Amino acid sequence: SRSMKKVLFKGCGTAIITPFTEEGVNFEQFKNMIEFQIENGVENPYVIVIDAGKEGDGKKVAKHLKDFFRNKHIDLAICTHPDSDHKDGFFDLLDDKDVIIDEFWLTDPAKFLCADDIKYYKNEENAIKAVRAIWNKSTDSSRNLIEEILKKNIDCYSVIAGDNHDKLPIKVVAPYRQFYSEIVKDMVARGGVKTYDKSDTAPYDNNAKVDDEEAKSVIDKCTDDSPTNASSIVIMYEPGDGKKLLFAGDSTQESLQLAIDIYHIGNVDFFKVPHHGSKHNLTTPIIEQLKPKKSYITASGTSKHPSSAIVYWLSKHGDVFSTQSCEYNLHCSFGLHERPNTKSVDPIKRKQ
């Protein structure tokens, strides 16, 4: 029998990447955990985890690996930015003695220190520790993600737009180096503490009526001023069959527009929508340039996440899915392997 050749993208928490295959999307059992399978000629699954969610979510990632793949091996871990609902789950994975991580990608602010920074902090060691504090665990500042990765002798790379994976057709398209160097000081000054909005509790209205004028008035007048979100790593995956898959973390309008302009990104087959579908992170021109055939949002299903205006405009180009359906227990099966505790789901809004 023909073996399944695939790349497997995983993640959990409110910040993970969402899956796409040529045939469909596979939303898995564990809250916002999502699995992405693609046949690409790799004999064994190449497991990539992009963002491990908040504290405790990493345990769900580890359990899923063990349950379905018989081990807890991760070829590549990527933390897009140092918000708690993206980074804290990685501490769970590092604490698990059975988890093996071969390679880790993030953006290290210490790589952007200049002579004035080192002078300000008295010496280089102090400067590195000060700026890397944005990667401290949100519930325990004595734990630093970069330090713990290095202590475990995991190959750790600070990546920026233009960097490529040496084995897979994965390119970092944001943040742009000059852009990151401008925002990193503000991010360090704020301490990297901004996370998701816990006050957002009003439920998402599936029956909300939105038209072009209203959507534009909502989307194009809002911006995300978080330097931490602006620092998000954005990944482009092109498996070689003409498809383009864009994973946007919590990236901001300015950073995404830079990526689109520099790398001529458009007509994407899959788009992981940034920042849980917030109205602050996309514009209608950005959506018009990307023209995503399938859009996926990781969100709890509130009035802000996802924004009904964002969902409306995305649906001009394709179906829009969100993890709010079925309390994150989703499975849209089009020839994919069925898994326990999964079910078929519909988009929250179909293509117009």
Side-chain angles (χ1 to χ4, degrees), residues 5-16:
K5 299 177 180 179
K6 60 193 175 185
V7 177
L8 172 69
F9 289 83
K10 310 177 72 61
C12 87
T14 56
I16 58 173

Side-chain angles (χ1 to χ4, degrees), residues 256-275:
L256 277 173
Q257 189 61 64
L258 269 173
I260 291 169
D261 293 343
I262 294 169
Y263 295 102
H264 309 291
I265 301 170
N267 298 303
V268 299
D269 296 272
F270 163 88
F271 181 41
K272 185 276 175 187
V273 179
H275 204 200

Side-chain angles (χ1 to χ4, degrees), residues 297-308:
I297 302 169
T298 55
S300 54
T302 63
S303 59
K304 296 180 181 178
H305 302 107
S307 160
S308 56

